[in-house]
Amino acid sequence: MKKILSIGAILVFALIVFTFVSKTAEANKTVFSNGSQSDIERVKQISLNYLRNETANRAVGSVDTFNVLSVSFDQLKMAHTKVRQTVNDVPVWEGEAIVHIKADGSLTSITDDLKDAVSVNTRARFSVENSIEIAKTMYSGSKYLTADPVSDLWIYRGEDRDHLAYRVQLRREDGTRQNAMPVLFIDAETGEKIFEYNNLQTATGSSLYSGTVNIATSSAGSTFYMEDVTRRMGTFNMNNTGNTSTGTGGTQSRYTDTDDIWDSTAQRAGVDAHIGAASTFDYYQAVHGRNGINGSNGPGTTAAAANSGVSLVVSRVHFGVSYNNAFWNGSVMTYGDGDGSSFSPLVTTDIAGHEMTHGVTQFTANLTYSNESGALNEAVSDIFGAMVERYSRGGVVDSNTWKIGEQAYTPATSGDALRYMNNPTLGGQPDNYANRVITSSDSGGVHTNSGIANYEFYLLAQGGTTSGGISVTGIGATNAEKIWYRALTVYMTAGTNFAAARTATVNAANDMFGASSSQATAVAQSWCAVGVGACPNPNPTPTPTPGGGSELIVNGGLEGSQSPWVSSGTGVFYIANGSSPHGGTGYIYFGVNNSVAGQTYQQVSIPSTAPTANLTFWLNVSSSETTTTTQYDKLFVEVRNTSGTLLATLATYSNLNKATAGSYTQRGAFNLSAYKGQTVRVQFRTTTDSSVTTTFRVDDVSLQ
């Protein structure tokens, strides 16, 4: 009888082991590999599950009704699912989230711009056609519109309440100073204007003269065209039209030549724009693996190549008369000739890089061209315009790299520029967030406040010391441009502000180089230098003032990155810009899934002279468990030695401590005076069972 029981016990044990091994293998299975349609569907479902868990206790609506905008895969073997929040099928303006997962399906972080507690009647009181007529009465240039207005319905979060609103997009491209693409939000109940910005994304750049260069053209019969079929780009001549008041937008014609030597006066501006477009295409493809503006050699326009019918991305030169600008209108690049005094023709490489980058931004983060997100939109174009120029010069960085429009701006004055990335104040821009300009003009100061991010990039790439005495060790332009590109295309959303841009670039650096890397530290330091967020502590184990009871924990608020906290296991995540922090934006996120375990610790030295050594932290527990008696999912607060051996369990929390998401309770104080004179690990560790999820959020840890 005993023998039979023993064999039975062995069989049960073997079954348990087999089940555990099988589940572990399944958990570690690669869920995507090549970005196939089946990979996309798996990633989409996994991402929505994570987002559903994250928002279970928030009033953001059902994740199942959200629109999945894109699923993308990157070279770091990560996947990114971008979704847009909706209410009754109406999209929420700037209500977006991006779920970032590894190839094994584990969550790394969530970029969360979802809007809580959206409250609005989603039935409009008047039609789309009515909204257009209302918007036209509000825009003084309506009779000069060069395209039919477009209107669609959104939920817009105003200063005091949510609005059901029509977004009406107008277009005036007549080559005058009033060139504009107004976007008006019209309340769908009252008909009043609640928000407006100009979506004509403009810039200035370098000179007409690029020297003698080779350009890619095509031919049909004996006629050559300034059309690069390989890159799917073409340059067209506006013949100085588009400046009338008729609203026709001017006349566009192909550049043609009989000997493929483009040397006439009218052609030379086209050559510069053509080379600039080619350099920008080559830069994005060679440096970032991106094929053109939209990533798919587009967006193509109705203009097709003369010899093949291939849809082209268009650059238009000689726009208007004495037109002192260049712009991206959502589908084409357009360049004015300047008035010869304020500007010479705006047609060379850094301008092309700037304008085409507006397109890259449009097809990735789609940063709203207003206020801080608009300033970031402009800064991104300046940054990559400078990097395209650097690339076209063989990677050389000199003083002109950091000047914007230095050759086209006031052509009679040498050495000056419109903007200076290395010293924004020279161009009338702020170099610190504390000095940002609050204005209703220029779509909320997008061309002014862009100097803050421009200076951050310069410091990140080149290093330097600010007027406030903060020093940054540069990581080189190559690393800096890759971090910013990843941040733009992976972590930023339409409503990203400066604080969220810091988080996005830190996350990108963490992905590429590691959370404790010099590159990630430099990102945080460069943002601190321009007044966005705190400076990282260069000493991971600070020595407190003897007898002063000073803070022993570094980055207890978990801001910017989790460093110097060390995490491992499948049940722990760092959330840099989460929806439910106790303070700031970052916190550690434990549990989330069933049958997981994970831990995070920080190693601290407790001075023998410290008068106290009391550990406190803020904890939020949210759970779908309904029991009031059983601890199924647990969080342990522990002290371990530097080898990881358990010295003491200070407390255990569980699903029984659940509250609503974001409702924190301070825990402690736990007396660690027994460890004075020692170096120990303060550790948080979680385990969850096989059914029903529990989440533990830990923030603002302190040991004094």
Side-chain angles (χ1 to χ4, degrees), residues 294-539:
N294 66 357
S296 301
N297 296 297
T301 67
T302 55
N307 71 344
S308 64
V310 171
S311 181
L312 300 174
V313 177
V314 169
S315 296
R316 307 186 303 177
V317 301
H318 298 308
F319 180 78
V321 175
S322 300
Y323 185 62
N324 281 323
N325 223 324
F327 60 88
W328 164 259
N329 71 359
S331 58
V332 301
M333 284 82 68
T334 303
Y335 305 91
D337 285 339
D339 60 7
S341 176
S342 297
F343 291 96
S344 57
L346 302 96
V347 290
T348 52
T349 304
D350 60 347
I351 273 203
H354 182 113
E355 297 309 334
M356 293 177 71
T357 297
H358 277 309
V360 173
T361 299
Q362 174 186 331
F363 285 97
T364 54
N366 196 28
L367 291 159
T368 301
Y369 203 65
S370 174
N371 301 315
E372 288 192 20
S373 57
L376 285 168
N377 193 318
E378 271 299 311
V380 165
S381 280
D382 277 352
I383 287 166
F384 288 109
M387 292 300 96
V388 168
E389 182 179 74
R390 167 180 173 262
Y391 174 83
S392 71
R393 296 176 178 176
V396 174
V397 175
D398 57 27
S399 60
N400 285 331
T401 304
W402 309 110
K403 293 179 180 180
I404 305 298
E406 70 275 11
Q407 292 168 295
Y409 184 62
T410 57
T413 304
S414 62
D416 65 346
L418 182 63
R419 293 190 290 274
Y420 303 79
M421 296 179 69
N422 61 328
N423 187 357
T425 59
L426 292 176
Q429 292 183 295
D431 62 0
N432 191 283
Y433 187 73
N435 301 322
R436 68 193 183 280
V437 176
I438 308 299
T439 179
S440 59
S441 63
D442 187 29
S443 296
V446 298
H447 289 94
T448 304
N449 293 325
S450 59
I452 299 166
N454 280 356
Y455 191 38
E456 183 278 334
F457 182 86
Y458 168 79
L459 290 171
L460 179 63
Q462 297 294 100
T465 301
T466 68
S467 58
I470 298 177
S471 296
V472 180
T473 300
I475 62 173
T478 297
N479 286 336
E481 67 187 345
K482 290 180 178 178
I483 289 170
W484 263 85
Y485 179 79
R486 183 171 180 82
L488 173 70
T489 58
V490 171
Y491 287 107
M492 291 186 186
T493 63
T496 294
N497 58 17
F498 281 104
R502 171 181 168 137
T503 300
T505 48
V506 167
N507 283 345
N510 289 347
D511 291 346
M512 299 173 70
F513 303 104
S516 300
S517 64
S518 59
Q519 292 89 344
T521 299
V523 171
Q525 184 76 2
S526 57
W527 277 113
C528 168
V530 298
V532 180
C535 288
N537 192 324
N539 184 358

Side-chain angles (χ1 to χ4, degrees), residues 231-255:
R231 296 183 179 92
R232 301 185 187 180
M233 294 178 169
T235 303
F236 289 72
N237 188 355
M238 292 296 291
N239 302 291
N240 294 119
T241 62
N243 64 334
T244 68
S245 60
T246 62
T248 61
T251 302
Q252 173 179 301
S253 62
R254 297 182 189 274
Y255 269 113

Side-chain angles (χ1 to χ4, degrees), residues 538-567:
N539 184 358
T541 54
T543 302
T545 303
S550 60
E551 182 62 65
L552 301 176
I553 293 290
V554 175
N555 193 18
L558 297 156
E559 299 304 318
S561 74
Q562 69 172 353
S563 178
W565 295 91
V566 178
S567 295

